[in-house]
Amino acid sequence: MADGQNAPEAERVEAVWDQNRTRGDEASSSGTSGWRAGISGDWATFAAIAAIALIVGIVNALSGAQDAAWRGDSADIGRRLFWEMTSIVVILALVPILMLSVRRMRRTTSIAARIGIAAVALLGFSALHVAGMVGLRKFLLWLAGGAYEFHFSPAFVLYEFRKDAVTALLIGATLWLFESRRELRKAAQEPQSNPAASLEQPSSNLIWLRDGTSRIRVAPRDILWVASAGNYIEYSLANGTQHLIRGTLAATESELARFAIVRVHRTRLANLDRVSGVDFKPSGDFELTFDNGRTLGGSRRYRPAVAALGSRAAPV
């Protein structure tokens, strides 16, 4: 899809350590470091969820024992606590999966994609919870010289799935709120509100994009377009590579306007210096063709921004 005629490799990527951020924050800003971000730097979140889960488990065990006593059955608080605690231990072990899923969902704006991620996460969470819970109970009772009788049935699976769905929803919502709060606090602490969360300009001919633990040096000429992706900005380069950087499109537009990179759609900016042709549609929308053959659609609201390109016929 790309002709690969970009600046030399040495002008594009230079890995350095960022002294102004914690390692956890850097991992969360990288599109490929979600798993590490899910389990490092989030102990406060995990501790809060664990405390709530333990309290709920104890209350459930005591309530079950009280209900049994009222019915004239054996309260057996110890056994009920054992069932609750083994379930909670497995749930807490699966929290990183929910963390990863929430962060994946926050990085996409597609409703269908979010629903798909949530469905896969829920099914995986429930299956692993049931398997882990049964396995843990069998193992612990075996160590104690007893046995745990497990009878698999569709009714049991449906019963556990209903409970797991509620549990996953509550934990997921809690994680979503924690993530929102963390991002707001992080944004408030940063004096810069530029598109890359730290867009540096050591020279007038280069820009810097922060990508996890690396700073990527990019020649503006190499940028084809920039698109909004939720809380992130996605840079698409002429060689086909993409970089996902935390930021806003409005701030990006302001930073890159001097390089003839302008808004052509509500969610996109395009590098007009790389446009070889423009095709204006009867609806008022238009399609840009870049010098490497790739195309990008624009909306009629931003047609004035490319009006001067009208003399460039889109290649057939």
Side-chain angles (χ1 to χ4, degrees):
M1 296 177 65
D3 58 8
Q5 300 299 318
N6 292 324
E9 188 70 18
E11 290 189 0
R12 289 192 292 106
V13 178
E14 176 182 333
V16 297
W17 184 256
D18 178 12
Q19 300 294 338
N20 297 323
R21 294 187 178 209
T22 64
R23 189 168 186 172
D25 285 343
E26 287 171 335
S28 66
S29 67
S30 171
T32 59
S33 305
W35 177 258
R36 288 179 303 175
I39 58 177
S40 64
D42 290 298
W43 293 113
T45 303
F46 184 83
I49 293 175
I52 294 173
L54 288 173
I55 293 173
V56 171
I58 293 173
V59 171
N60 286 342
L62 295 177
S63 298
Q66 183 64 60
D67 291 341
W70 284 342
R71 294 194 304 268
D73 299 332
S74 172
D76 199 353
I77 295 179
R79 179 174 61 87
R80 296 179 186 277
L81 282 173
F82 176 74
W83 300 147
E84 292 289 341
M85 293 303 109
T86 50
S87 175
I88 288 173
V89 166
V90 176
I91 287 174
L92 294 180
L94 297 176
V95 166
I97 294 179
L98 297 180
M99 284 184 174
L100 175 61
S101 301
V102 166
R103 284 176 173 157
R104 292 288 184 187
M105 291 173 66
R106 291 178 66 87
R107 284 200 295 267
T108 180
T109 57
S110 170
I111 299 299
R114 286 184 172 181
I115 293 175
I117 294 171
V120 171
L122 175 57
L123 292 174
F125 175 83
S126 183
L128 292 173
H129 174 234
V130 172
M133 176 179 65
V134 171
L136 182 60
R137 290 174 180 176
K138 282 181 173 292
F139 176 70
L140 292 178
L141 288 176
W142 173 77
L143 289 178
Y148 175 66
E149 296 296 331
F150 172 69
H151 302 286
F152 179 85
S153 68
F156 172 81
V157 171
L158 181 60
Y159 171 76
E160 289 296 332
F161 180 78
R162 287 200 306 265
K163 295 196 300 180
D164 289 339
V166 174
T167 300
L169 177 62
L170 292 176
I171 294 177
T174 301
L175 292 172
W176 190 286
L177 292 175
F178 269 94
E179 282 293 298
S180 297
R181 181 175 179 272
R182 185 178 65 84
E183 290 181 1
L184 289 174
R185 184 173 63 248
K186 179 180 173 183
Q189 291 173 349
E190 292 181 353
Q192 300 173 328
S193 64
N194 48 38
S198 180
L199 181 63
E200 303 173 34
Q201 299 173 1
S203 74
S204 59
N205 297 322
L206 296 172
I207 59 175
W208 289 84
L209 307 177
R210 194 177 308 283
D211 186 8
T213 58
S214 299
R215 293 190 306 172
I216 302 165
R217 188 165 54 183
V218 176
R221 168 71 181 172
D222 292 343
I223 300 173
L224 289 184
W225 66 77
V226 184
S228 175
N231 295 325
Y232 292 80
I233 299 299
E234 185 176 68
Y235 286 75
S236 295
L237 305 186
N239 67 351
T241 60
Q242 296 177 323
H243 298 293
L244 199 62
I245 307 297
R246 187 179 296 276
T248 66
L249 196 64
T252 307
E253 181 181 17
S254 175
E255 292 286 344
L256 300 181
R258 62 196 179 100
F259 300 116
I261 299 176
V262 302
R263 191 182 294 256
V264 296
H265 187 274
R266 183 176 59 85
T267 62
R268 305 180 203 116
L269 309 176
N271 188 348
L272 300 187
D273 286 343
R274 297 296 300 255
V275 174
S276 61
V278 56
D279 181 17
F280 293 107
K281 308 294 184 181
S283 64
D285 295 340
F286 54 90
E287 183 177 75
L288 301 175
T289 300
F290 296 94
D291 53 14
N292 66 350
R294 301 182 68 182
T295 60
L296 180 71
S299 64
R300 60 174 177 264
R301 177 181 176 185
Y302 301 98
R303 184 165 177 162
V306 298
L309 304 179
S311 58
R312 306 183 191 179
V316 179

